[in-house]
Amino acid sequence: MATKEKISLGQMIEMDRNISQTKGSNSIHQDPLIEDFSFQHELGGNVSATPYETILKTLPCYFNWDLEESCDEDVQTLVQCAQENLVSNTEMTLVPHKTMLGYLYVTQRRRMEDREPSTALSWFDQALSDNQLDTDSCGDNDGPQGDTLILLGNIAWVYFISGRLDMVDKTLQKIKQKFDNRISESQKAFMYGHKGICFAYFLKKTCDISIACFNRALLVFPCHTDWLFWSAFVLCFQRDRHYREPFDTDAFSVLHEEEILYKHVLENNSNHSFAKAMLGSLFCVRQQYENADSLIIDALQSNHTMPTVAYFAAIVYATLKNFKLSIKVLEQALEAWPNNTYLLRQLAYTYKEIYLFESAHDQEQNSNHLKMAIRYHDKAIKVADGHLPEAIINKAKVCKLMGNMVEAHRLYLLAINTNRDPYWKSVVYFEFGEFCEQHLEEHSDALKYYQLAIDQGTQYWCAKRAAQVISHLTLEKSVE
């Protein structure tokens, strides 16, 4: 792919004016707070706190979007993700990531005494400065002002929570001055793009909303690189929840859509290392290993310490059984990001895969590989303060390989009792059902947990497999 100069946000929008795009049957999100927004409220120093709260609830911003409804992620893990995106983002717009960092310092997932309103406001101010750069870059296009409205709404909420009603009034006055009429389609597009990115941080039930937000934003600006990338990124995680090999027609359709999106990103910015790494991992899933290896090499040359790049590179190398290189890539990234839970979790997974691959050889070495897997799972779980269901479940699998069924049983129960995300609840119910059936020979309990896996949502791969197992077991019983 030919290298291109990095284009500015203003140039990109000028390109968008000459491009049309149809989204087919993809869902489009409609947010009433965005679509119906019109600031018609009277303001003044004598207004009491209750009307302020009523006004604030009409603003399109993080505090009114129920972002954390089913989120299990530890706050510090989310903060690390936002910090990573600030360092590694290859586009000029850092507004959503700085806004997310601000929000995470006042999130309800923090205890009241741990919230830092002043830090949140500092990040929001930085985001407003970047937002002004975006506005200047766009010339006569007013799209970035959509980000402005979201930021001012967040700022007003923080002041309200802090009891600084004079600053609430001052911020609402700014909103009234800038947005007393209905907002434009360009502003709405930026708001939907911003909402899509902020929901992508939580990657739980919000996957559908995030993708639908990007679909809405890309209708107006189909060449917006950030939205194209994050749309594919979230689609990848949603696909991972819905499908497991062997893939069916629907899964291949999603893979094709992801590929198109990543290629569009690289057409706009050929140096986008994240897109290269993600596309490389996609080619690996499709068993196009030569293409996968080439893209991963390019991505690592551009940015070998960034966690997302290293994470997907390590997955590709582990799939190719190049375990030494997989470990090397992860360890290099961990030198820069020692508490990144995704890198720690993937390192643990790689050691487990080495054990499985070399299980016919040196038993002492294999035992050490499993011990290393436990070590890195434990570190990931500790860093995430226990809010890392995949690490807990995978540690249980390692314990099974080590013959420690008591600890595996404890970990499965821990995962069941601590998860809120329906996908991970479905996974752990399915895995625990297999554990009950295959290791405890408690078939009635196994059927109960398989059914609980289905009850979390029939769209998940684990629920589909649970249904197949129940059908098979029922058929076996009827034959007997």
Side-chain angles (χ1 to χ4, degrees):
M1 188 174 294
T3 302
K4 295 184 179 182
E5 295 271 339
K6 181 177 174 182
I7 60 174
S8 71
L9 187 59
Q11 288 173 313
M12 177 196 68
I13 289 175
E14 186 61 37
M15 289 167 57
D16 284 336
R17 288 171 178 156
N18 301 312
I19 297 175
S20 61
Q21 179 186 48
T22 58
K23 298 301 291 181
S25 60
N26 288 345
S27 60
I28 304 293
H29 184 56
Q30 295 288 311
D31 182 350
L33 293 177
I34 297 175
E35 294 296 334
D36 302 332
F37 178 79
S38 180
F39 198 95
Q40 301 294 330
H41 306 285
E42 293 298 326
L43 299 171
N46 294 324
V47 180
S48 65
T50 302
Y52 278 138
E53 184 173 8
T54 301
I55 295 170
L56 291 174
K57 287 180 178 179
T58 69
L59 302 178
C61 64
Y62 289 27
F63 292 85
N64 293 329
W65 281 338
D66 297 325
L67 294 177
E68 305 162 55
E69 183 182 348
S70 63
C71 179
D72 290 312
E73 292 277 19
D74 175 61
V75 171
Q76 291 307 317
T77 298
L78 292 171
V79 168
Q80 288 173 21
C81 288
Q83 290 172 336
E84 174 194 338
N85 287 322
L86 290 184
V87 175
S88 60
N89 193 20
T90 54
E91 281 294 290
M92 69 168 295
T93 175
L94 298 174
V95 173
H97 307 295
K98 289 186 177 181
T99 309
M100 176 55 67
L101 261 174
Y103 175 74
L104 290 172
Y105 280 95
V106 288
T107 172
Q108 292 182 3
R109 291 192 61 77
R110 289 181 183 268
R111 294 176 300 180
M112 185 65 71
E113 61 270 24
D114 293 332
R115 295 176 190 173
E116 301 179 31
S118 60
T119 305
L121 291 169
S122 176
W123 278 113
F124 292 153
D125 284 342
Q126 290 188 46
L128 280 173
S129 296
D130 284 349
N131 177 231
Q132 186 59 55
L133 293 175
D134 290 349
T135 301
D136 295 341
S137 174
C138 285
D140 63 347
N141 189 285
D142 65 353
Q145 292 178 20
D147 286 332
T148 310
L149 178 53
I150 291 173
L151 272 163
L152 291 175
N154 287 342
I155 290 169
W157 264 112
V158 172
Y159 282 134
F160 180 78
I161 292 168
S162 304
R164 299 174 62 183
L165 300 187
D166 58 327
M167 294 304 297
V168 174
D169 188 83
K170 185 176 179 179
T171 307
L172 291 177
Q173 293 284 3
K174 289 182 182 178
I175 294 174
K176 184 176 179 63
Q177 181 181 359
K178 286 178 174 288
F179 305 101
D180 58 341
N181 297 315
R182 291 189 179 276
I183 50 184
S184 71
E185 284 302 308
S186 295
Q187 291 170 344
K188 288 179 183 178
F190 268 73
M191 295 173 77
Y192 279 111
H194 191 142
K195 184 176 180 179
I197 291 175
C198 85
F199 269 66
Y201 272 87
F202 295 91
L203 283 175
K204 307 299 179 187
K205 291 194 302 186
T206 62
C207 282
D208 286 331
I209 297 175
S210 185
I211 292 169
C213 282
F214 291 127
N215 289 340
R216 173 68 172 83
L218 289 166
L219 283 175
V220 183
F221 298 118
C223 284
H224 195 294
T225 308
D226 264 8
W227 303 341
L228 288 168
F229 171 75
W230 284 96
S231 183
F233 185 89
V234 177
L235 200 61
C236 168
F237 277 83
Q238 187 185 55
R239 185 243 307 160
D240 197 48
R241 288 171 167 236
H242 290 187
Y243 307 104
R244 280 291 192 276
E245 296 186 48
F247 290 134
D248 59 18
T249 303
D250 290 340
F252 281 113
S253 176
V254 176
L255 284 165
H256 180 66
E257 186 175 351
E258 288 177 53
E259 181 179 348
I260 290 173
L261 288 167
Y262 289 131
K263 286 181 175 178
H264 281 329
V265 171
L266 293 172
E267 286 169 2
N268 289 341
N269 182 357
S270 62
N271 295 320
H272 202 299
S273 56
F274 273 25
K276 289 178 183 178
M278 298 291 286
L279 185 57
S281 69
L282 185 152
F283 281 137
C284 191
V285 169
R286 300 174 81 163
Q287 299 182 358
Q288 298 174 8
Y289 298 125
E290 187 174 338
N291 290 338
D293 190 46
S294 175
L295 277 163
I296 290 301
I297 290 172
D298 284 350
L300 289 171
Q301 286 176 344
S302 300
N303 206 331
H304 71 278
T305 63
M306 279 303 104
T308 306
V309 173
Y311 174 78
F312 284 100
I315 289 174
V316 170
Y317 288 136
T319 303
L320 298 174
K321 309 305 178 187
N322 193 340
F323 297 116
K324 286 186 178 179
L325 193 50
S326 181
I327 290 172
K328 180 181 178 181
V329 166
L330 290 167
E331 287 179 342
Q332 285 180 335
L334 280 166
E335 288 179 8
W337 302 85
N339 292 323
N340 186 282
T341 56
Y342 298 99
L343 296 174
L344 292 167
R345 186 186 67 200
Q346 184 58 32
L347 193 52
Y349 176 82
T350 301
Y351 277 111
K352 186 195 79 172
E353 289 300 298
I354 295 173
Y355 168 84
L356 294 173
F357 184 69
E358 298 181 349
S359 58
H361 303 294
D362 187 349
Q363 292 301 310
E364 182 178 353
Q365 184 180 13
N366 285 329
S367 175
N368 287 335
H369 288 149
L370 292 181
K371 289 177 183 177
M372 291 294 285
I374 292 290
R375 172 186 169 186
Y376 284 108
H377 278 315
D378 282 343
K379 187 169 183 179
I381 293 167
K382 182 179 179 180
V383 168
D385 195 27
H387 299 281
L388 202 61
E390 187 171 7
I392 296 171
I393 295 168
N394 285 338
K395 182 183 174 183
K397 292 179 180 179
V398 175
C399 288
K400 285 193 296 183
L401 291 171
M402 299 177 79
N404 191 346
M405 300 304 167
V406 172
E407 178 64 3
H409 188 276
R410 184 191 73 81
L411 289 167
Y412 280 126
L413 290 177
L414 174 65
I416 287 172
N417 292 326
T418 57
N419 290 336
R420 294 189 300 165
D421 179 5
Y423 167 68
W424 284 113
K425 287 182 77 70
S426 183
V427 172
V428 70
Y429 281 136
F430 174 70
E431 299 277 3
F432 194 50
E434 286 191 324
F435 182 78
C436 291
E437 180 189 355
Q438 298 170 9
H439 297 281
L440 303 183
E441 297 185 356
E442 296 175 353
H443 299 292
S444 60
D445 281 348
L447 287 171
K448 177 181 74 174
Y449 288 112
Y450 287 141
Q451 185 58 53
L452 285 169
I454 297 169
D455 293 343
Q456 306 310 308
T458 56
Q459 72 273 29
Y460 303 128
W461 67 266
C462 33
K464 296 170 189 174
R465 289 194 183 175
Q468 292 172 349
V469 173
I470 289 176
S471 177
H472 178 71
L473 292 176
T474 304
L475 181 63
E476 278 188 342
K477 205 161 189 178
S478 66
V479 170
E480 291 176 0

